[in-house]
């Protein structure tokens, strides 16, 4: 019994991680049709930002304050990744709108450069981030079932990101402009919306969320130059499976992959579990090429 | 349209000339012998041009394995510098030729071939993963080169062209399993990355458990780069082992140990013994999650020998006080010294003579006295089990007392009869 | 193809061809064994690039899964070579994976002919099945590309996970001979090199024939406007399927040659990174021109082996930057650049002739 409960929680936890990783992509890919292969590297930037924040606290603040570095690390990761995203958009991505496959290749090159940059700055080996002590341990539900606070924290973080994104996109002026541009660029431009600005903003926000994901990942996994490569394909699968352009789809996609992943891994083993999940995705897309939640459109292409 | 084609072809011509010219110009220094069949024989005669001896260093400087291998390069270069400062080998200076294996096995094979047949190096120090060694092995055997391989590995191999300065199974895994059975419990859970070393190592462990009264309660492999261990940890919890024998590699270790701690399992609940976690890796995983866990190696930075004191001191002086030494780093360093001693003794860099001279050669390595076993070209090593301390260093819990004779095919163990190679 | 008049221009082109072929054929005379071996490897890559260009440059399908087809071909040949080396007994890695008997599906690979046929047939078949479903379901563009990545993950994970049957991460290595000829001997190597040159030229001619034919015209039409082609009455799925299969078969063939030259195949050659690199060669050389694709593969790999050693760090920066610059500012690659420079002054290209977004 407790095993099933624990596995359910594990599935939920993996889903939340996948969702966090894919959220930024859902914006850049789903809304802007830019395939950002450097998304993984933006995650890595977020992780290294957390590492730097930790070091700053370590060096300049009294030890009693150390535990609170993580509170600062989340916004710091967002801001730094945001800035990187902004630079990337202004210098490169803006040439690539309407050429999704080219954007895939070009951003892959960017990813390569960023990885090497991280390697030159921080060295090839992994760096260690000590997670704050208030995230140690877990919630005991029953005997032998411990829900780690870190995983609970990540689930909470995802929900927070989702909610704020929802409010930003659907309840704010900027969000309205963003939707206007994504739905009909020319019309929005005619009505006085600066599409250049909106594009840059949207891409930067997507990147910023990748940074937050990176910050969260420092709690669970390695922090190294190749961190992003572990997540990038999974993130794309989430977005494509969920259906492009809808946040609900991304949430469903992440939950689906996360749950099935846990299930298959529990039944078989990690390698086979992964294969089965991917086979399911490929099969599912044959059946529903537009993903779980399809945007209805009358256009042909 | 036609005109464009024409320009494309002129481009083709230019490019081709470029490539061929590139090949040609590179050749000039070595190539008084365009009649290439002799090139391979030339490699055998060694690389001693007046005053210098070229040696190859072939590790991954880029890609996923760079994490581990870069430090080994540092150690090997340090050994070369030290030897040169002391007057070199046979009065000649050692000149390293560094190549990047780029964490890609075919690249290792290609670069090995280049080092031997183009650069005419006297020997090569290189490799980390078993896969890179397996990729280079046919090249060294074909061209009769000499490779020094510095990492513990899964055994069942003994190439006439390779010297193995890392541990084979009976110098690391087998004694550690025996020690665990005697001290920590009978129920074993085997966890490893999905590649050759863990699978082969676990094959050995399973036979050993059967013979020595242990019990196997689980065996799992995760893909390289796997980062979520929650399900696996649930499985471990269900199986209730006394010992998790961990052969995970690289980044997976970070995720596994972090998440193990989160799941409320500490070193007190389940003993975890790792064979791929050394001082370097501890820094990337974080001491807080690793404290109290075990590892089996032949050398720790804390190993108490006079040679090690100077080794650690010099290493830190050269590369920075925050750097640490570890088993493979020490093995790489030792390899260079052993080769130099063998060349000195042979009075030549010729591969066959060096091999002959290397037999039963002894040297006071940082890990203690080591000796090359002539028959297998592995070295005698002392086995040590250590526990991670709060400062990121190991405390030695147990050692084998004397250097253990290498036995890559486990011929000295009756229970290992079924895992002999088929060829 | 129709016979065309021999204008001076065509003569020059023909001369260019002949000179290039002559240079390739005579390379063994003035290049060292090691360099020849490298060149042979690059030529094998050039063959993949040709196949990739067929589907990307000419049909607008971007596959990031060509590493699989390349790898499957390579594995087929590797299985034969391994069995020849072990004399039909189970190869070494099966032993240390606990397998005592030669698995059934390995056995026919003792025959060279079977291995060669399979090296082409297996990739082609896989591509056919995949193409049948995906193209019929009108999965295109980006979705297809991401799907091929999923396929890469599936294949590599399986290859790595089934160590007893596939050699795991180590891959398959340690060969001795091919049909009795020692693979180590320089003569065999030279012969293999020449075979590679012949194959490359034949594939090149084949591709020229394909794109020059009616079939090739439909392919380009699909690239530029798939729906229009459909409304005219063609079924694009069939064309895409056929060309995808052809491209996979070519990749398989290249994989077989690769194994012969390099002496090892491992799952790392099938991964996402090599698959993207293959596309990169085509992008840099010039998609939509066969010669550009082939040259891109040769030049990029040559540069990689020259520079990556001297500047392992700088090399990655350079490659990343080059990739960005080429994709963004030179969509037709180096081959296109030469044309562009020359023709800019003479006449502005009509808008429709420029490949704006070939893949959209």
């Amino acid at each position: 019994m407790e095993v099933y409960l624990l596995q359910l929680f594990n599935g939920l936890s993996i889903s939340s991680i996948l969702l966090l990783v894919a959220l930024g992509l859902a914006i850049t890919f789903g809304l802007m049709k830019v395939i950002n292969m450097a998304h993984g590297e933006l995650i890595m930037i977020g992780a290294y930002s957390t590492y730097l924040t930790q070091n700053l606290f370590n060096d300049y603040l009294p030890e009693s304050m150390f535990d609170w570095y993580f509170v600062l690390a989340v916004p710091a990761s967002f801001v730094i990744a945001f800035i990187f995203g902004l630079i990337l958009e202004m210098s490169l991505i803006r040439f690539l709108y309407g050429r999704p496959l080219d954007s895939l290749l070009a951003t892959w090159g960017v990813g390569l450069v960023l990885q090497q940059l991280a390697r030159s700055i921080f060295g090839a080996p992994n760096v260690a981030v000590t997670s704050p002590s208030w995230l140690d341990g877990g919630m005991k539900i029953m005997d032998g079932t411990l829900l780690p606070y870190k995983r609970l924290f990540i689930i909470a973080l995802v929900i927070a990101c989702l909610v704020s994104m929802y409010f930003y996109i659907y309840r704010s002026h900027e969000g309205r402009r963003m939707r206007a541009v994504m739905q009909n660029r020319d019309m929005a431009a005619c009505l006085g919306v600066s599409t250049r600005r909106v594009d840059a903003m949207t891409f930067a926000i997507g990147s910023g969320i990748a940074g937050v994901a990176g910050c969260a990942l420092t709690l669970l996994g390695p922090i190294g130059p190749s961190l992003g490569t572990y997540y990038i394909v999974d993130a794309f699968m989430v977005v494509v499976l969920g259906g492009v352009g809808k946040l609900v789809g991304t949430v469903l996609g992440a939950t689906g992959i996360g749950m099935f992943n846990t299930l298959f891994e529990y039944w078989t083993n990690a390698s086979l579990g992964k294969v089965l999940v991917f086979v399911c995705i490929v099969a599912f897309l044959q059946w529903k090429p537009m993903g779980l939640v399809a945007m209805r459109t009358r256009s042909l292409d | 349209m036609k005109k464009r084609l024409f320009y494309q072809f002129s481009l083709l011509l230019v490019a081709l000339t470029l490539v061929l010219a590139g090949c040609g110009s590179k050749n000039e220094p070595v190539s008084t012998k365009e009649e290439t069949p002799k090139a391979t024989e030339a490699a055998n005669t060694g690389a001693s041009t007046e005053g210098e001896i070229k040696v190859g260093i072939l590790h991954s400087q880029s890609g996923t394995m760079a994490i581990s291998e870069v430090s080994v390069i540092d150690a090997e270069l340090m050994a070369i510098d030290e030897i040169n400062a002391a007057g070199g080998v046979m009065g000649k200076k050692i000149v390293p030729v560094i190549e990047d294996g780029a964490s890609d096995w075919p690249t290792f094979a290609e670069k090995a071939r280049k080092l031997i047949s183009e650069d005419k190096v006297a020997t090569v120090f290189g490799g980390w993963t078993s896969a890179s060694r397996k990729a280079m092995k046919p090249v060294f055997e074909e061209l009769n080169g000499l490779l020094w391989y510095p990492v513990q590995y899964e055994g069942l191999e003994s190439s006439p062209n390779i010297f193995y300065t890392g541990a084979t199974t009976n110098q690391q895994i087998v004694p550690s399993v025996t020690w665990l059975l005697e001290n920590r419990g009978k129920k074993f859970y085997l966890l490893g990355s999905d590649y050759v070393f863990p699978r082969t190592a676990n094959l050995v462990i399973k036979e050993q458990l059967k013979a020595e009264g242990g019990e196997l309660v689980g065996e799992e492999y995760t893909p390289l780069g796997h980062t979520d261990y929650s399900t696996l940890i649930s499985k471990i919890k269900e199986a209730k082992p006394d010992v998790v024998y961990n052969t995970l590699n690289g980044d997976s270790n970070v995720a596994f140990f972090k998440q193990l701690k989160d799941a409320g399992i500490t070193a007190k609940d389940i003993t975890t013994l790792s064979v791929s976690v050394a001082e370097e890796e501890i820094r990337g995983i974080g001491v807080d999650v690793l404290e109290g866990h075990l590892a089996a190696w032949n050398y720790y930075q804390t190993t108490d020998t006079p040679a090690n004191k100077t080794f650690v001191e010099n290493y830190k002086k050269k590369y920075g006080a925050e750097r640490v030494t570890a088993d493979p780093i020490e093995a790489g360093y030792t390899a260079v010294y052993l080769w130099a001693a063998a060349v000195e003794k042979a009075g030549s860099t010729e591969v066959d003579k060096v091999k002959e001279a290397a037999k039963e050669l002894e040297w006071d390595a940082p890990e203690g006295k080591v000796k090359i076993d002539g028959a297998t070209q592995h070295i005698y090593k002392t086995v040590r089990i250590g526990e991670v301390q709060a400062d990121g260093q190991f405390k030695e819990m147990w050692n084998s007392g004397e250097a253990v004779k290498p036995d890559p095919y486990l011929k000295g163990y009756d229970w290992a009869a079924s895992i002999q190679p088929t060829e | 193809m129709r016979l065309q008049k021999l204008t001076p221009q065509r003569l020059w082109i023909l001369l260019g061809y002949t000179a290039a072929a002559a240079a390739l054929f005579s390379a063994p005379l003035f290049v060292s064994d090691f360099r020849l071996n490298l060149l042979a490897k690059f030529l094998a890559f050039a063959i993949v690039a040709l196949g990739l260009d067929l589907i990307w440059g000419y049909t607008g399908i971007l596959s990031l899964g060509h590493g699989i087809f390349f790898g499957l071909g390579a594995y087929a040949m590797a299985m034969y070579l391994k069995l020849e080396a072990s004399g039909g007994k189970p190869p070494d890695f099966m032993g240390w994976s606990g397998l005592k008997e030669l698995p059934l599906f390995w056995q026919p690979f003792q025959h060279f002919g079977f291995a060669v046929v399979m090296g082409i047939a297996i990739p082609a078949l896989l591509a056919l099945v995949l193409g049948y479903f995906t193209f019929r379901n009108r999965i295109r563009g980006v979705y297809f590309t991401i799907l091929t990545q999923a396929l890469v993950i599936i294949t590599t994970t399986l290859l790595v996970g089934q160590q007893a049957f596939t050699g795991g991460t180590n891959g398959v290595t340690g060969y001795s001979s091919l049909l009795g000829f020692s693979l180590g001997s320089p003569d065999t190597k030279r012969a293999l090199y020449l075979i590679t040159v012949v194959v490359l030229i034949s594939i090149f001619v084949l591709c020229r024939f394909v794109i020059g034919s009616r079939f090739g015209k439909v392919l380009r039409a699909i690239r530029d406007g798939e729906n229009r082609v459909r409304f005219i009455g063609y079924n694009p799925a069939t064309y895409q399927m056929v060309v995808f299969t052809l491209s996979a078969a070519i990749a398989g063939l290249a994989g077989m040659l690769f194994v012969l030259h390099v002496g090892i195949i491992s799952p790392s050659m099938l991964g996402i990174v090599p698959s993207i690199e293959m596309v990169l060669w085509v992008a840099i050389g010039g998609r939509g021109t066969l010669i550009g694709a082939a040259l891109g593969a040769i030049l990029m790999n040559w540069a990689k082996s020259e520079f990556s050693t001297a500047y392992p760090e700088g090399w990655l920066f350079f490659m990343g930057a080059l990739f960005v610059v080429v994709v963004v500012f030179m969509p037709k690659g180096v081959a296109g650049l030469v044309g562009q420079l020359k023709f800019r002054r003479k006449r502005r290209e009509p808008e429709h002739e420029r490949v704006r977004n070939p893949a959209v």
Side-chain angles (χ1 to χ4, degrees):
Chain A
M1 178 57 206
E2 58 257 44
V3 173
Y4 291 106
L5 205 67
L6 195 61
Q7 277 311 99
L8 197 69
F9 175 76
N10 285 340
L12 208 63
S13 170
I14 295 182
S15 308
S16 68
I17 294 165
L18 282 175
L19 183 56
L20 197 57
V21 168
L23 257 187
L25 212 61
I27 298 180
T28 50
F29 179 37
L31 295 178
M32 309 176 73
K33 303 285 180 293
V34 169
I35 305 191
N36 183 12
M37 287 296 272
H39 187 77
E41 278 59 50
L42 290 164
I43 295 175
M44 171 198 80
I45 287 172
Y48 273 113
S49 309
T50 309
Y51 170 68
L52 287 179
T53 319
Q54 171 203 256
N55 286 0
L56 282 179
F57 268 66
N58 236 346
D59 293 350
Y60 296 107
L61 289 173
E63 208 166 301
S64 55
M65 294 283 289
F66 178 75
D67 269 350
W68 296 104
Y69 85 87
F70 205 75
V71 179
L72 191 73
V74 177
S77 311
F78 180 86
V79 170
I80 295 179
F82 183 93
I83 294 171
F84 265 91
L86 207 61
I87 297 172
L88 191 61
E89 203 279 343
M90 299 214 283
S91 59
L92 178 67
I93 305 290
R94 68 196 182 97
F95 299 108
L96 294 168
Y97 290 121
R99 294 158 59 184
L101 290 178
D102 284 2
S103 72
L104 185 156
L105 298 174
T107 48
W108 192 75
V110 173
L112 217 58
V113 171
L114 287 178
Q115 271 182 42
Q116 195 52 42
L117 201 64
R119 215 167 272 138
S120 314
I121 298 174
F122 298 100
N126 289 323
V127 297
V129 170
T130 313
S131 34
S133 58
W134 46 271
L135 283 177
D136 281 347
M139 200 161 74
K140 205 163 194 169
I141 294 194
M142 58 177 89
D143 212 29
T145 314
L146 192 74
L147 309 186
Y149 288 132
K150 284 175 192 163
R151 288 179 184 272
L152 290 171
F153 174 80
I154 292 177
I155 293 174
L157 190 67
V158 172
I159 293 173
C161 282
L162 266 179
V163 170
S164 40
M165 267 179 67
Y166 175 81
F167 276 103
Y168 180 80
I169 297 178
Y170 294 101
R171 290 284 183 274
S172 78
H173 293 298
E174 284 79 15
R176 192 174 327 140
R177 279 187 217 119
M178 188 204 271
R179 276 181 296 144
V181 172
M182 300 316 153
Q183 279 171 17
N184 192 333
R185 180 170 295 270
D186 294 338
M187 180 87 81
C190 286
L191 292 172
V193 178
S194 163
T195 54
R196 279 288 317 118
R197 227 183 80 98
V198 169
D199 284 339
M201 239 358 230
T202 314
F203 190 83
I205 288 176
S207 310
I209 293 176
V212 174
C215 178
L217 286 175
T218 60
L219 296 175
L220 296 178
I223 303 115
S226 47
L227 165 65
T229 52
Y230 299 142
Y231 293 97
I232 184 74
V233 179
D234 292 8
F236 271 111
M237 293 303 147
V238 168
V239 178
V240 171
L241 182 71
V244 173
K246 285 278 189 194
L247 279 186
V248 189
T250 312
V251 175
L252 287 178
T255 320
I257 294 182
M259 286 296 178
F260 275 105
N261 203 345
T262 325
L263 201 66
F264 286 142
E265 190 179 328
Y266 187 72
W267 280 343
T268 60
N269 58 51
S271 297
L272 213 55
K274 194 170 165 191
V275 169
L276 285 174
V277 169
F278 275 86
V279 168
C280 287
I281 296 174
V282 172
F284 182 85
L285 287 178
Q286 301 293 344
W287 176 48
K288 265 189 182 277
M290 301 310 288
L292 282 164
V293 181
M295 283 256 263
R296 296 199 184 284
T297 165
R298 281 164 174 268
S299 74
L300 200 55
D301 283 301
Chain B
M1 213 47 203
K2 282 178 196 160
K3 265 212 164 154
R4 191 166 320 151
L5 270 177
F6 168 69
Y7 283 102
Q8 281 154 11
F9 280 113
S10 27
L11 180 80
L12 164 103
L13 273 183
V14 172
L16 255 171
T17 355
L18 243 159
V19 170
L20 294 179
C23 298
S25 68
K26 261 278 164 170
N27 274 340
E28 265 161 36
V30 279
S31 225
T32 37
K33 37 191 153 321
E34 296 288 51
E35 66 290 14
T36 28
K38 279 175 192 145
T40 46
E41 288 144 47
N44 297 344
T45 57
S48 39
T49 45
E50 63 300 338
E52 345 186 290
I53 300 175
K54 279 205 259 182
V55 301
I57 289 185
L58 177 47
H59 291 282
S60 299
Q61 291 172 279
S62 56
T64 45
M65 291 313 298
I67 296 177
S68 315
E69 295 187 53
V70 169
S71 311
V72 183
I73 303 180
D74 289 344
E76 285 162 359
L77 289 177
M78 182 171 111
I80 290 173
D81 283 351
E82 286 176 7
I83 294 171
N84 282 342
V89 178
M90 300 189 305
K92 292 176 184 172
K93 232 177 113 210
I94 309 175
V95 181
V97 180
I98 306 174
E99 288 283 351
D100 179 16
S103 311
D104 178 53
W105 324 145
T107 307
F108 269 99
E110 177 197 319
K111 299 294 185 191
R113 189 174 289 277
K114 170 179 178 282
L115 282 171
I116 305 170
S117 60
E118 292 278 290
D119 297 321
K120 315 257 185 267
V121 296
T123 185
V124 175
F125 305 96
W128 178 288
T129 57
S130 285
S132 65
R133 188 192 66 251
K134 292 279 185 208
M136 290 188 283
K137 185 172 155 241
V139 177
F140 280 93
E141 287 173 357
E142 178 195 324
L143 302 174
N144 193 21
L146 192 58
L147 171 71
W148 296 76
Y149 173 75
V151 184
Q152 45 81 232
Y153 80 113
E154 71 276 5
L156 304 180
E157 185 182 299
S158 169
S159 164
N161 294 83
I162 304 179
F163 280 92
Y164 306 77
T165 60
T168 176
T169 35
N170 81 314
Q171 296 169 316
Q172 181 186 27
I173 289 167
V174 176
S176 70
V177 169
T178 308
W179 183 86
L180 287 167
L181 283 170
E182 281 166 8
N183 294 288
R184 295 297 169 107
K186 302 286 179 201
K187 289 204 269 182
F188 272 58
Y189 197 102
L190 306 181
L191 169 64
S193 291
D194 202 346
Y195 73 105
V196 177
F197 168 67
R199 283 191 180 266
T200 314
N202 287 346
L203 204 66
V204 171
I205 295 174
K206 280 186 279 183
E207 290 300 320
Q208 191 184 357
L209 287 179
K210 260 187 246 163
E212 298 184 2
E215 186 192 341
L216 178 75
V217 294
E219 181 182 6
E220 282 281 341
Y221 300 94
T222 61
L224 285 163
H226 193 65
T227 48
D228 200 292
Y229 282 86
S230 50
T231 302
L232 217 132
I233 291 168
S234 302
K235 285 192 189 175
I236 293 180
K237 270 184 174 170
E238 263 187 289
K240 299 195 176 60
D242 300 318
V243 174
V244 174
Y245 202 95
N246 168 24
T247 42
L248 288 177
N249 190 289
D251 287 0
S252 294
N253 274 314
V254 187
F256 173 66
F257 281 109
K258 278 187 177 174
Q259 293 167 24
L260 190 70
K261 188 191 171 200
D262 288 342
I265 300 173
T266 63
K268 286 188 201 77
D269 306 314
I270 299 176
T271 298
T272 305
L273 185 134
S274 313
V275 289
S276 302
V277 176
E279 287 86 342
E280 284 253 297
E281 283 76 19
I282 294 177
R283 295 199 304 166
I285 301 174
V287 183
D288 56 324
V289 292
L290 265 182
E291 198 180 336
H293 288 296
L294 304 181
W297 289 106
N298 307 102
Y299 164 89
Y300 300 109
Q301 185 175 317
T302 50
T303 299
D304 189 21
T305 64
N308 187 35
K309 216 169 253 164
T310 39
F311 170 61
V312 174
E313 222 166 74
N314 291 342
Y315 190 80
K316 283 181 183 280
K317 206 188 313 169
K318 197 169 166 77
Y319 298 112
E322 79 289 352
R323 293 284 296 268
V324 289
T325 60
D327 184 288
I329 297 176
E330 187 267 351
Y333 178 81
T334 305
V336 177
Y337 270 99
L338 284 173
W339 168 78
V343 170
E344 209 56 84
K345 190 170 152 197
S348 154
T349 55
E350 214 170 301
V351 170
D352 295 328
K353 285 186 187 155
V354 172
K355 268 164 57 181
E356 195 51 43
K359 279 184 181 157
E360 316 304 324
L361 199 69
E362 287 188 9
W363 188 62
D364 270 317
E367 68 181 82
K369 193 175 269 304
V370 297
K371 187 170 97 175
I372 296 178
D373 177 43
T376 59
Q377 307 204 134
H378 288 58
I379 64 178
Y380 285 69
K381 292 171 89 77
T382 309
V383 190
R384 302 168 200 276
I385 291 173
E387 187 188 70
V388 181
Q389 303 296 300
D391 60 354
Q393 292 295 332
F394 285 96
K395 187 180 88 182
E396 197 172 294
M397 312 273 288
W398 173 85
N399 69 51
S400 57
E402 57 179 1
V404 176
K405 182 179 163 48
D407 184 4
Y409 292 97
L410 297 173
K411 294 206 173 96
Y413 302 85
D414 294 335
W415 48 261
S418 67
I419 40 185
Q420 297 307 319
T422 46
E423 270 181 73
Chain C
M1 273 207 275
R2 285 167 291 139
L3 273 177
Q4 278 147 332
K5 252 199 320 206
L6 198 68
T7 60
Q9 224 139 58
R10 295 209 143 255
L11 198 67
W12 276 112
I13 293 170
L14 216 64
L15 252 146
Y17 264 129
T18 324
L24 284 178
F25 275 118
S26 59
L29 297 177
F30 52 95
V31 167
S32 78
D33 275 1
F34 170 73
R35 300 266 152 191
L36 193 71
N37 192 242
L38 274 190
L39 191 61
K41 185 176 87 171
F42 302 161
L43 294 183
F45 285 145
I47 296 174
V48 196
L50 285 177
L52 207 50
D53 198 24
L54 266 192
I55 58 164
W56 187 35
Y58 289 95
T59 323
I61 306 166
L62 177 55
S63 159
L64 290 185
H66 256 51
I68 306 173
F69 305 126
F70 180 79
L72 286 177
Y75 265 100
M77 179 56 83
M79 283 161 85
Y80 159 74
L81 290 171
K82 193 70 190 170
L83 285 178
E84 169 132 338
S86 70
K89 285 204 286 290
D92 47 10
F93 61 82
M94 292 188 184
W96 67 64
S97 309
L99 207 63
K100 299 286 169 218
E101 295 277 317
L102 193 64
L104 210 59
F105 76 94
W106 267 75
Q107 279 169 10
F109 282 91
Q110 292 182 18
H111 309 288
F112 179 71
F114 181 83
V116 171
V117 171
M118 282 299 130
I120 298 172
I122 293 175
L125 213 64
L126 180 67
L128 190 68
V129 172
L130 184 77
Y132 176 75
F133 287 109
T134 38
F135 295 127
R136 212 189 46 167
N137 290 328
R138 299 197 194 168
I139 297 177
R140 308 188 279 257
V142 180
Y143 295 94
F144 180 81
T145 305
I146 294 179
L147 211 67
T148 53
Q149 289 216 313
L151 204 67
V152 170
I153 302 254
I154 294 172
T155 320
T156 43
T157 315
L158 273 179
L159 276 176
V160 169
Q162 302 302 313
Q163 186 188 312
F165 302 108
T166 62
T169 35
N170 277 10
V172 183
T173 183
Y175 319 129
S176 56
S177 58
L178 170 72
L179 293 171
F181 297 102
S182 161
L183 279 172
S185 93
D187 290 330
T188 316
K189 284 189 174 159
R190 250 168 266 158
L192 284 174
Y193 167 80
L194 291 176
I195 290 172
T196 310
V197 174
V198 170
V199 172
L200 175 66
I201 292 176
S202 334
I203 295 289
F204 186 83
V205 171
L206 174 75
C207 290
R208 296 265 356 215
F209 173 73
V210 168
I211 57 171
S213 67
R214 216 182 132 77
F215 179 79
K217 285 206 179 91
V218 179
L219 293 184
R220 265 167 291 170
I222 291 173
R223 174 188 75 192
D224 295 338
E226 188 176 330
N227 282 316
R228 294 183 197 187
V229 174
R230 181 172 290 121
F231 296 148
I232 294 171
Y234 290 96
N235 182 7
T238 317
Y239 286 84
Q240 287 166 323
M241 215 161 71
V242 170
V243 76
F244 189 54
T245 308
L246 178 65
S247 172
I250 292 175
L253 184 63
M256 285 195 279
L257 292 167
F258 172 85
V259 163
L260 290 171
H261 299 309
V262 177
I264 176 174
I265 181 70
S266 75
S268 68
M269 274 310 293
L270 283 70
I272 291 207
V273 175
S275 297
I276 296 184
E277 268 180 19
M278 287 172 187
V279 172
L280 181 135
W281 306 331
V282 180
I284 287 179
R287 64 185 105 154
T289 56
L290 290 174
I291 198 76
L295 273 182
I298 297 173
L299 282 179
M300 279 304 291
N301 280 294
W302 170 70
K304 186 179 183 179
S305 92
E306 284 295 310
F307 299 127
S308 66
T309 292
Y311 320 97
E313 292 199 350
W315 165 248
L316 281 173
F317 280 125
F318 171 75
M319 197 165 80
L322 183 71
F323 207 13
V324 172
V325 169
V326 165
V327 170
V328 177
F329 301 107
M330 298 157 49
K332 286 166 104 185
V334 177
L337 190 73
V338 178
Q340 267 171 24
L341 285 179
K342 186 67 198 169
F343 289 98
R344 177 149 297 167
R345 268 175 295 133
K346 276 199 168 170
R347 71 187 152 106
R348 306 292 288 174
E349 268 180 89
E351 190 67 11
H352 66 264
E353 251 208 51
R354 202 179 299 153
V355 188
R356 260 173 314 167
N357 347 320
V360 178

